Every structure is written in structure tokens, then in C-alpha cells.
Amino acid sequence: GEKVEQHESTLSVREGDSAVINCTYTDTASSYFPWYKQEAGKSLHFVIDIRSNVDRKQSQRLTVLLDKKAKRFSLHITATQPEDSAIYFCAASPNTGYQNFYFGKGTSLTVIP
Amino acid sequence: GPKVLQIPSHQIIDMGQMVTLNCDPVSNHLYFYWYKQILGQQMEFLVNFYNGKVMEKSKLFKDQFSVERPDGSYFTLKIQPTALEDSAVYFCASSWGGEQYFGPGTRLTVL
């Protein structure tokens, strides 16, 4: 089955700097890659996603890059703010319609004011 | 935005008892999922459910686990009997086939 590795378990940046979280996956059939944010004691909230038909997607301060050859995708957050502090989970999903998500272990991002 | 509700938020039970976790998914969604998260660690897929059937389940979905959604009501996860290792936060999610919306989770403690 699919295995998603999330390389940074913790990440600290200063407010205003950029943060990058990297993930790799194993299953070439994976075609949908969402990112979720989890604040302490709360549920997951969708942040951004990318499908395999593109290699870049941007939404305001967030950009996702996808390298299908390397089976790697990354989340880039620019101009970080303290409220960006949370655990970020990457996930990969095959294009099977019912799309099980296989999550990475999460990256705890701390933005230092 | 769309909300997934989960009842109860916390459940404490003795090992060997049965427990049912309830999920009220987003109303027009077709796909339903259960995930397990231990101590804020990795979220692990348990099972998905579509058109009244389990489509796929992981190795974590033991024989003691079952899911159903009778008559379009709650989507439930039943564990019978429970074991100590079932202690975790269980998240329900639903989708129309794309982005999944997650509920707030049920924290299950098995004593």
C-alpha cells in the first residue's frame, strides 16, 4: 500500500519568513495530494491540495509543488504568521473515486513572533 | 462551511465492552471514512464506506470493528469487544469524492 513520508517532524521559523514542508510517497497510482492543518486539540482542516495533472498550485500565501518523477510534493508558506503554527499533515490518495487518504506523520510548525 | 459532527466527544469504557462512535456527515456527501489517531501522532486510515458498503479497509480495521449507516442516519463505528490498544481519537470524514471534511473526533479511552 501507499506510504507517505513527511520529512520534517518539527519546524520553527520566525514570523515573516517562509516555511517548507516536504513529503514523499511510494505509490505511482497516487494522484491527489491534500494538505491538512491541525491545531492543538482540534480536528483537521483542509489547507490546499494538488492533483497530478499539474505540478504547481498557489492559494494566497500557500504553494504546493508536485514532482511526480521523484514522487515528492511540498508545501510552501510565505510571510508566515503566528496563527500558521499548527501540525501540518500531507496525504496522498489514489484516484479510485473513494480516495482513501494516506497521511504523513505530521510536521509541527512553530512561527516565532 | 460544511460540518461533520461526532458524538460523543469523549468516551471512557472498560476493556471488553462494546462502544459505538457516531458520525453525522455532511448531508450531500457520498463517501464516509474513519481514521484513528493515537496521541496526536499519525492519522491512520481505517475504513471507507460508499453506497452502503465497505469499499476498502486497512489492517487496523480488526474483526472487532464494524461500520454501518442505516437509512442515511449516523455513520457509525462499532468496536466489540474493545481492547486497550483501541484507545485513540477516532475521526470521521466525509466527501463527495474530493476534499474530505473531518469531524472534531471522539476521544476513546479503554481502561
Side-chain angles (χ1 to χ4, degrees), chain A residues 24 43 46 52 61 67-68 76 99-100 102:
Chain A
T24 54
S43 188
F46 174 81
S52 58
R61 296 186 295 111
D67 181 343
K68 291 188 289 291
H76 299 247
Q99 288 190 330
N100 304 334
Y102 295 92

Side-chain angles (χ1 to χ4, degrees), chain A:
Chain A
E2 172 66 276
K3 288 193 189 306
V4 176
E5 295 283 346
Q6 197 161 343
H7 298 272
E8 298 83 5
S9 58
T10 60
L11 182 61
S12 290
V13 298
R14 295 211 171 271
E15 184 177 358
D17 288 350
S18 295
V20 182
I21 303 172
N22 296 287
C23 291
T24 54
Y25 61 100
T26 58
D27 191 347
T28 52
S30 288
S31 59
Y32 178 66
F33 306 91
W35 288 85
Y36 283 82
K37 175 182 179 181
Q38 185 178 36
E39 294 172 27
K42 297 188 178 181
S43 188
L44 276 71
H45 288 277
F46 174 81
V47 172
I48 192 171
D49 60 8
I50 190 167
R51 293 190 183 274
S52 58
N53 59 339
V54 296
D55 54 18
R56 178 190 176 95
K57 181 174 179 179
Q58 182 173 356
S59 174
Q60 298 181 321
R61 296 186 295 111
L62 305 176
T63 301
V64 182
L65 302 178
L66 173 63
D67 181 343
K68 291 188 289 291
K69 281 187 179 177
K71 297 199 198 75
R72 183 172 57 221
F73 59 115
S74 56
L75 174 67
H76 299 247
I77 309 173
T78 58
T80 52
Q81 301 165 1
E83 50 266 37
D84 294 329
S85 296
I87 299 176
Y88 288 80
F89 291 93
C90 62
S93 175
N95 186 25
T96 57
Y98 38 88
Q99 288 190 330
N100 304 334
F101 287 1
Y102 295 92
F103 284 90
K105 291 188 176 181
T107 296
S108 179
L109 173 65
T110 302
V111 179
I112 304 165

